[in-house]
Amino acid sequence: QRLDPRAQWPPASAAGLATLALLCIHEDSLRRPAFLEVTTMLQDMIDEAEAFEAASSARTSSARASSSRSQVSARSHASASVGAQAASPGDAAPGAARGV
């Protein structure tokens, strides 16, 4: 592969652009795409790349939200455990458990 890894090209986009470039310089001019075909292919590639990016962002957001929920849940559980230990009947003042 000769892709710059810093560009983070989705493999399908890179392959599509390479194929289009090779078609445009094809030795047989009759096999080269017309301008309208090129613009259609480029628009299709843009649409696919945007869909890929949206799906990628959704997965990342979902993973972050899940991680945040797990952290909040773990904190809540830890707080509840500490609160339950502090409020155990053996630790309460005499008569507090009876409401006196």
Side-chain angles (χ1 to χ4, degrees):
Q1 271 195 27
R2 294 188 176 177
L3 294 176
D4 184 347
R6 295 172 295 177
Q8 298 179 350
W9 283 91
S13 296
L17 286 171
T19 300
L20 179 57
L22 291 173
L23 285 172
C24 289
I25 62 168
H26 198 282
E27 188 175 288
D28 181 358
S29 63
L30 296 176
R31 297 196 58 195
R32 295 179 196 155
F35 185 78
L36 185 56
E37 291 172 306
V38 171
T39 58
T40 300
M41 287 188 259
L42 287 172
Q43 187 60 56
D44 290 346
M45 284 185 233
I46 290 169
D47 294 344
E48 288 173 15
E50 287 174 346
F52 177 83
E53 187 175 321
S56 233
S57 294
R59 282 191 298 270
T60 302
S61 296
S62 176
R64 284 184 191 147
S66 177
S67 176
S68 294
R69 283 192 300 272
S70 295
Q71 290 172 357
V72 168
S73 177
R75 284 189 211 120
S76 297
H77 180 66
S79 296
S81 295
V82 170
Q85 290 171 356
S88 66
D91 293 341
R98 294 188 305 257
V100 177

